[in-house]
Amino acid sequence: MFDYKVSTHNHYEEACRKFALTHNLKELASKAEMSAQVLRNKLNPDQAHKLTIEDLMLLTDLTEDPTLLDGMLAQINCLPSVPVNELTTDKLPLYVMKATAAVGTVAAEAISTETMTASRKGAFTTGINSAIRCLTLAGMTLQTRIHSNPALASTAEVISGLGASIGLG
């Protein structure tokens, strides 16, 4: 059903480097109950020690930073992670505004004629991941809102059925 292929690009290694530069590893290692040196080694692609799945989940939980997960997913040619644990219908305008801002940032980068440096590429990827995340959350919120109101859900199904019957799929 799915054909996961490992990317030839080093997305995960880049994510490990970015994560290490973004966070105070000494404090984070203490929270994760490991030594700072062990954490640095696990985040360093040149070292033999690697993050385990449990490490990855713990670090993501402690920091609420999806960088490592997104790097891992990109490595197997998948879209970025979307945290749905705080999904609420009250946040629909926030999700849409954040998605709009992220798409605007991506659009500005796309039309720029400046050289694509590693820093700009990272910002471009971050903008795309943010847009995907926010648009997914907006879509899920809207879906929840429609299905929580039986009249609205019935209306949406009728309109969908009418559209399909006249060929507007």
Side-chain angles (χ1 to χ4, degrees):
M1 180 173 196
F2 297 107
D3 188 15
Y4 295 106
K5 292 187 186 206
V6 176
S7 174
T8 57
H9 301 289
N10 54 354
H11 298 290
Y12 183 69
E13 290 180 4
E14 289 175 21
C16 286
R17 285 187 197 96
K18 181 180 177 188
F19 187 87
L21 292 171
T22 304
H23 298 282
N24 181 329
L25 296 185
K26 189 172 182 178
E27 287 178 17
L28 185 56
S30 174
K31 290 178 186 174
E33 299 180 357
M34 68 175 76
S35 78
Q37 188 58 49
V38 167
L39 180 56
R40 273 194 282 289
N41 287 346
K42 287 183 173 197
L43 290 169
N44 182 348
D46 298 328
Q47 293 291 321
H49 299 291
K50 303 292 178 202
L51 290 173
T52 64
I53 297 294
E54 289 78 12
D55 293 335
L56 185 72
M57 290 187 299
L58 178 62
L59 294 174
T60 302
D61 187 38
L62 290 173
T63 62
E64 295 189 358
D65 180 350
T67 301
L68 294 172
L69 285 176
D70 291 347
M72 179 191 67
L73 290 168
Q75 195 66 49
I76 57 172
N77 292 308
C78 291
L79 293 174
S81 60
V82 179
V84 295
N85 55 333
E86 294 182 20
L87 183 70
T88 65
T89 56
D90 300 344
K91 293 185 178 178
L92 179 60
L94 177 68
Y95 300 144
V96 172
M97 292 303 287
K98 284 185 171 183
T100 303
V103 168
T105 302
V106 169
E109 282 295 324
I111 63 169
S112 175
T113 57
E114 294 180 34
T115 305
M116 184 60 77
T117 63
S119 173
R120 288 191 60 226
K121 179 184 175 265
F124 191 70
T125 303
T126 299
I128 290 170
N129 287 350
S130 179
I132 290 169
R133 214 175 262 112
C134 291
L135 285 171
T136 302
L137 290 170
M140 292 174 72
T141 300
L142 192 57
Q143 190 74 12
T144 301
R145 189 180 281 181
I146 288 171
H147 287 291
S148 68
N149 183 336
L152 194 56
S154 296
T155 303
E157 288 172 12
V158 168
I159 290 171
S160 175
L162 285 173
S165 68
I166 58 173
L168 296 176

